[in-house]
Amino acid sequence: FNAPNIVRSAYTARVTTENCVACGKCVEACPFGVMLQVAGAPAASKCIACSICVKACPMEVLEIRES
């Protein structure tokens, strides 16, 4: 999957960075490839709020929010 047609998304995957262990499971799980590992913590752009990354996070530090 890839999400090239999404120019701007109303959603963002937010990470509680203090509790993130930077395992990368959310990055691997994202079917659209919008989760990236940035400075040791995940970050998302063009999120469509599918919540797959949230479910993949073993530390439960991700949440989807409207931008």
Side-chain angles (χ1 to χ4, degrees), residues 8-32:
R8 186 160 198 238
S9 174
Y11 300 98
T12 305
R14 306 259 173 141
V15 181
T16 306
T17 54
E18 309 82 58
N19 300 327
C20 177
V21 295
C23 66
K25 292 190 188 245
C26 59
V27 176
E28 293 171 10
C30 181
F32 299 102

